[in-house]
Structures are given as structure tokens and as C-alpha cells.
């Protein structure tokens, strides 16, 4: 499958190199501004090798990169937490979410499959389903922590509202409407606003 890392060592090397190149080029030039030739050159592979691994070409590279990004996001968000108290787990989840998007400026577009259309490749359809399920699992996980901590509003709505606020702030940064210090300030406000609704949150947590 296009989205999965191949088990064959040579194909896995090509798959990884092309996705790494895609991440760099899509960020620097945009999806539309990146050509299959640019991908091949950056990955140090032949154009034919890209099509051998990604049948629909650039759109399949994008879909596979989006899925790899989702897996990285899940791994970071579900790694063992240092916190034990539910409110502290929620706070750490927010911090990890913010850190992930700060370290991966293309992630928001990739996870939303913003630059491609499902009609372009079956891989886009598959990636959307898998990504939606993965992100839904993260929402469920944080919602459970919010429920355990106790909240004065609906826990799931609180989580989704916070994520929407953070995603919106990241989107403004990507569009260069705000600079990095303003983004950091906006994310801090969203974080604090969410934690204020938790019954178990302390001033230190906030």
C-alpha cells in the first residue's frame, strides 16, 4: 500500500527519502510549486522510482507524508506522560500538541490534506479515513483525561474548542498574518482558557 512503509529494504529507503524530500519541498515551495523532478532530485532517486513506489506520483507522496505525520503526531501525544494527576495530564497534552505543531509547520496542512483532492487518488481517500480515525483517537484520549479531572463544561466540547483555537492560531502563522511571538501568546491564552475549566487544575498547572 502507498501509505505504508515498505518492508523491502531498498523500497523502504526510497519511500523514506522521497517523503523526507516532500516534507522539505512542500514547505519551501508549496505543493503546487513542487514538481516530481524536484522530488526526485532532492531524494536522489530516479523519477521512475517515485512512480514505482507512488503510483499516482506527487499526490501519493503527499498522502503518504500526511499519514506519516499523523503517526508521528499520535506517537508524540501518546508517549508515557510524566504527569499523574488528570489535570496535569491535560496540561501536558496541550503542551505536546503545541510543541508538535511548532516543530512541524507543515503538519496542519498535511493532516487536513489541504492541498489535494480525493478525486486525484485513492490514496487521498484512504489517508483521510486513517488520519481522521487517528486524530479522533487523540481527542478521545484527552477527553478522558478532562473527564477524570472534572470540568465545568462538556469535556469533549472543551477539547475540540481548544484544538480549534490552536489550529486557527497556527493557520494565521502559516499565512504570515501573525509572527511567532504573537502565535506563542495566542497558544498560551488558549491553553490557559482550557485549563481554567478543569476542577483539578492548580495555578502551577495553568
Amino acid at each position: 500500500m502507498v501509505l505504508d512503509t515498505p518492508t523491502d529494504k531498498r523500497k523502504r529507503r526510497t519511500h523514506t527519502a522521497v517523503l523526507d524530500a516532500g516534507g522539505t519541498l512542500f514547505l519551501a515551495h508549496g505543493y503546487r510549486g513542487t514538481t516530481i523532478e524536484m522530488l526526485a532530485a532532492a531524494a536522489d532517486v530516479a523519477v521512475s522510482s517515485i512512480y514505482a513506489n507512488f503510483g499516482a506520483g506527487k499526490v501519493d507522496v503527499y498522502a503518504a507524508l500526511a499519514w506519516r505525520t499523523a503517526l508521528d503526531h499520535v506517537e508524540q501525544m501518546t508517549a508515557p506522560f510524566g504527569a499523574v494527576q488528570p489535570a496535569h495530564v491535560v496540561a501536558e497534552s496541550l503542551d505536546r500538541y503545541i510543541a508538535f505543531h511548532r516543530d512541524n509547520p507543515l503538519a496542519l496542512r498535511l493532516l487536513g490534506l489541504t492541498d489535494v483532492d480525493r478525486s486525484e487518488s485513492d490514496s487521498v481517500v484512504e489517508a483521510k479515513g486513517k488520519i481522521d480515525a487517528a486524530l479522533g483517537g487523540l481527542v478521545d484520549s484527552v477527553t478522558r483525561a478532562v473527564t477524570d479531572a472534572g470540568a465545568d463544561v462538556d469535556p469533549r466540547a472543551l477539547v475540540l474548542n481548544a484544538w480549534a483555537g490552536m489550529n486557527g492560531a497556527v493557520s494565521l502563522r502559516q499565512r504570515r498574518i501573525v509572527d511567532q511571538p504573537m502565535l506563542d501568546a495566542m497558544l498560551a491564552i488558549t491553553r490557559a482558557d482550557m485549563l481554567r475549566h478543569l476542577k483539578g487544575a492548580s495555578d502551577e498547572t495553568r
Side-chain angles (χ1 to χ4, degrees), residues 51-114:
Y51 282 108
N53 287 271
F54 305 93
K58 186 172 68 168
V59 66
D60 277 359
V61 174
Y62 189 97
L65 180 60
W67 176 232
R68 187 176 76 172
T69 301
L71 290 175
D72 290 344
H73 193 15
V74 169
E75 181 179 6
Q76 181 165 327
M77 291 291 291
T78 57
F81 283 84
V84 177
Q85 296 297 325
H88 289 208
V89 171
V90 175
E92 189 172 336
S93 295
L94 290 170
D95 291 339
R96 289 186 182 193
Y97 192 88
I98 291 169
F100 178 80
H101 284 285
R102 182 181 289 120
D103 295 341
N104 299 273
L106 191 61
L108 192 61
R109 297 189 69 84
L110 287 168
L111 295 175
L113 296 166
T114 305

Side-chain angles (χ1 to χ4, degrees), residues 50 60 77 134 144 146 191:
I50 294 182
D60 277 359
M77 291 291 291
R144 285 192 294 272
V146 170
R191 179 188 187 278

Side-chain angles (χ1 to χ4, degrees), residues 10-66:
R10 181 178 298 178
K11 288 185 177 181
R12 183 169 64 248
R13 188 184 305 118
T14 298
H15 188 274
T16 300
V18 172
L19 294 192
D20 289 345
T24 300
L25 293 173
F26 295 152
L27 180 61
H29 305 286
Y31 175 73
R32 302 299 171 190
T34 299
T35 66
I36 200 74
E37 289 78 16
M38 291 166 67
L39 284 169
D44 194 25
V45 300
V47 169
S48 59
S49 293
I50 294 182
Y51 282 108
N53 287 271
F54 305 93
K58 186 172 68 168
V59 66
D60 277 359
V61 174
Y62 189 97
L65 180 60

